[in-house]
Amino acid sequence: MSPSHPLATLDTDLLIQHSDELMSRNVWPREKLLAFQCQRLESTLRHAVGCSPYYGDTISELVARNAPLKEFPVLSKRALMQNFDRIVTDTRLSRRRVEGHLNSENPGALLAGKYRVAATGGTTGEKGLAVFDEAAWLAAVSNTLRFQKIVGIDEKTQSMGIFASSPIHISYRIGAEMRAIRPAAPRLNVLMPIEDVVEGLNIYQPEVVSTYPSFVRVLAGEQLAGRLRIRPRLIRTSAETLTQDVRDTAASAWGAIVTNSYTCTEAGAMGHECNLADGLHLAEDAFVFEVVDADDRPVPNGTPGAKLLVTTLTNRVLPLVRYEISDVVTLATEPCRCGLPFWRIEAIEGRREEMLRFAKRGGGIVDVHAHRLRSPLTGTEGVRQFQFAQLPDGLEITISLFSGFDIDVVGERIETAVRATLAMVDAQPSRIVVRAVDTIERSGSGAKERLVVAPTSVNST
């Protein structure tokens, strides 16, 4: 985006005021929170039926008889995109018009003088669109600010984010809102030359850095090499799955704790860890969350689901009812010791699309989530980046290396470590191919690192 095209941002006083109102709910008894959620859900469903042709056709009978939410149909990302023009509650917001605005010279401007729009390809590669009017955007950004305040970040904190490079992506837009509160924070993104990022951080000396988990590794490498010289007390991560090795990396590089956040482009900020870093507290005053199996049946707390269903309670222009997110999520079984009334996600294993399949010892097939294979890669000296691809008879691992390391030596160590990890779950791939590239490019408008991709043609047969 050209500097001559300013980004539309909220009034900071209004934003801070609204986030303080949300903070007051942090001390509500859980019973009051759930009653508030129930009232908002009823209002949201009636609004959706009355103002959205799609919901009028699909859920009006269910709303009329006050059916439980579990009886409502699930909305996939594909269904959202196919029915976008009939789901939105403003007839000016066609899919073609929204996409045209996102492809314009100034996608950060207000569409029709009223709406903020964003897009995502996520880690699934399937495109999604988001639309927020002023009230919905205020609610989304205030929620982000509330979560930051929960972990001790206020308007005076030297805090900054390093995320996407384009206003098409929601992390860029939220980052602009946070910079409006802290105008001294530099404008950095994950696609900038690392030398420029390091220079900006060394000058600003942030107390808190927010970025993707994959970029934490990059920054930690710069810190341990002596080029980056910052002393953050807290690292906040978002948009990619956070694993223990990233927490360990941050502790080693800075002695900092890592708190994870949970944001969906189509919905906004949905959850955040408290300072105990023991699971993501869910914003149940703004959403209804359901963890379900592959057949959309609820699973008990403590059991991993096949997907997460999210119903938004603050966006009247793009209501989402039981919107499907393909994260493998486990809800906590006990309240958090911090005392917040919001229930927690105990663990997010990653996307359903990141599941790999291998031949099983003794016959059959075993499913292994790609995140299980992170440790062998992060524990192998010389590996800078890595990515997996399923092969018909095994696994392709793409890596980039730090200078001075031999690909044959590193590749042999990786194959040995990965085979040992897979053997623990009786997985026996016939073939593991390790290939090296100069760098693994980030993908999509969010500039995320995809953990699992399609195999290269040379090794896919």
Side-chain angles (χ1 to χ4, degrees):
M1 184 180 64
S2 168
S4 62
H5 294 144
L7 192 73
T9 55
L10 294 164
D11 177 83
T12 56
D13 290 336
L14 179 63
L15 174 58
I16 292 170
Q17 177 184 347
H18 194 65
S19 69
D20 286 341
E21 179 185 336
L22 296 186
M23 285 291 289
S24 70
R25 300 175 190 168
N26 295 354
V27 296
W28 281 2
R30 180 154 180 80
E31 295 75 15
K32 181 176 180 179
L33 174 68
L34 294 180
F36 180 81
Q37 181 193 59
C38 186
Q39 293 168 1
R40 275 199 159 179
L41 175 60
E42 181 179 351
S43 174
T44 295
L45 294 176
R46 294 193 180 281
H47 168 77
V49 166
C51 300
S52 163
Y54 174 83
Y55 289 120
D57 288 345
T58 57
I59 67 171
S60 58
E61 184 272 333
L62 293 165
V63 173
R65 64 179 175 86
N66 199 29
L69 194 58
K70 65 182 181 181
E71 294 185 16
F72 284 61
V74 170
L75 179 68
S76 67
K77 182 181 288 189
R78 181 167 298 176
L80 169 63
M81 295 300 287
Q82 289 175 341
N83 298 282
F84 187 86
D85 293 8
R86 301 181 67 247
I87 290 176
V88 290
T89 60
D90 185 336
T91 56
R92 294 175 295 176
L93 291 173
S94 68
R95 174 177 170 178
R96 177 175 292 183
R97 187 175 185 187
V98 171
E99 290 180 330
H101 184 76
L102 289 169
N103 290 325
S104 71
E105 292 185 0
N106 188 14
L110 296 177
L111 173 59
K114 185 175 182 180
Y115 298 111
R116 291 167 174 83
V117 298
T120 178
T123 53
T124 65
E126 188 162 6
K127 184 177 181 179
L129 296 176
V131 181
F132 300 86
D133 62 12
E134 188 81 359
W137 186 242
L138 176 62
V141 180
S142 297
N143 212 16
T144 298
L145 199 54
R146 170 184 45 184
F147 284 139
Q148 291 192 7
K149 289 180 178 180
I150 286 172
V151 292
I153 305 169
D154 62 21
E155 303 85 74
K156 297 179 182 179
T157 305
Q158 290 272 105
S159 177
M160 60 166 298
I162 311 174
F163 289 105
S165 62
S166 168
I168 291 173
H169 195 263
I170 196 169
S171 70
Y172 183 102
R173 305 295 290 268
I174 293 176
E177 299 288 359
M178 297 302 104
R179 282 195 305 273
I181 297 173
R182 308 174 184 91
R187 297 180 60 170
L188 305 178
N189 66 73
V190 295
L191 296 184
M192 295 174 65
I194 190 60
E195 297 81 8
D196 294 345
V197 174
V198 167
E199 180 183 10
L201 288 169
N202 283 339
I203 292 171
Y204 186 61
Q205 287 297 309
E207 300 172 53
V208 179
V209 176
S210 302
T211 190
Y212 301 137
S214 59
F215 206 66
V216 173
R217 295 192 192 93
V218 175
L219 296 179
E222 294 297 309
Q223 182 83 18
L224 295 173
R227 292 180 290 270
L228 182 62
R229 298 177 297 279
I230 59 175
R231 297 176 298 278
R233 62 174 173 81
L234 178 67
I235 305 294
R236 293 178 61 252
T237 60
S238 185
E240 299 170 351
T241 301
L242 174 64
T243 52
Q244 185 59 44
D245 69 278
V246 175
R247 296 187 194 271
D248 295 342
T249 296
S252 175
W254 301 291
I257 66 168
V258 177
T259 58
N260 196 21
S261 59
Y262 194 26
T263 298
C264 166
T265 296
E266 299 91 326
M270 302 189 299
H272 203 293
E273 289 184 325
C274 65
N275 280 321
L276 296 176
D278 188 25
L280 291 145
H281 289 276
L282 294 168
E284 293 169 298
D285 52 348
F287 305 93
V288 177
F289 301 95
E290 303 169 81
V291 178
V292 298
D293 63 17
D295 297 316
D296 303 325
R297 297 172 300 194
V299 301
N301 291 359
T303 302
K307 48 191 166 180
L308 178 69
L309 306 182
V310 177
T311 299
T312 57
L313 305 179
T314 59
N315 192 337
R316 292 298 178 108
V317 66
L318 181 64
L320 300 176
V321 179
R322 305 195 86 201
Y323 184 62
E324 178 182 323
I325 299 174
S326 60
D327 285 335
V328 179
V329 166
T330 303
L331 289 179
T333 57
E334 300 290 339
C336 184
R337 292 177 289 117
C338 74
L340 287 171
F342 312 107
W343 208 253
R344 289 168 299 137
I345 289 176
E346 180 179 280
I348 303 176
E349 293 184 26
R351 293 282 188 176
R352 189 170 64 246
E353 294 82 4
E354 295 170 339
M355 197 70 74
L356 302 167
R357 310 199 83 185
F358 300 105
K360 186 176 183 179
R361 181 188 295 121
I365 297 294
V366 60
D367 291 333
V368 180
H369 202 282
H371 287 282
R372 180 181 284 270
L373 303 181
R374 281 183 177 272
S375 292
L377 273 295
T378 56
T380 301
E381 188 179 9
V383 176
R384 185 167 67 91
Q385 295 172 290
F386 54 88
Q387 198 169 63
F388 303 107
Q390 180 82 70
L391 298 178
D393 57 349
L395 182 67
E396 175 184 271
I397 306 172
T398 300
I399 60 172
S400 69
L401 296 175
F402 290 107
S403 61
F405 288 86
D406 182 86
I407 175 57
D408 292 332
V409 174
V410 174
E412 184 177 339
R413 290 173 180 168
I414 287 172
E415 180 173 354
T416 299
V418 168
R419 285 193 180 277
T421 299
L422 291 174
M424 295 171 65
V425 291
D426 291 332
Q428 289 186 316
S430 298
R431 185 166 61 124
I432 293 180
V433 177
V434 180
R435 70 184 191 100
V437 296
D438 291 337
T439 187
I440 296 174
E441 300 295 336
R442 293 177 176 270
S443 63
S445 61
K448 302 176 187 177
E449 278 193 2
R450 294 184 66 182
L451 182 61
V452 178
V453 297
T456 58
S457 58
V458 67
N459 288 321
S460 61
T461 58

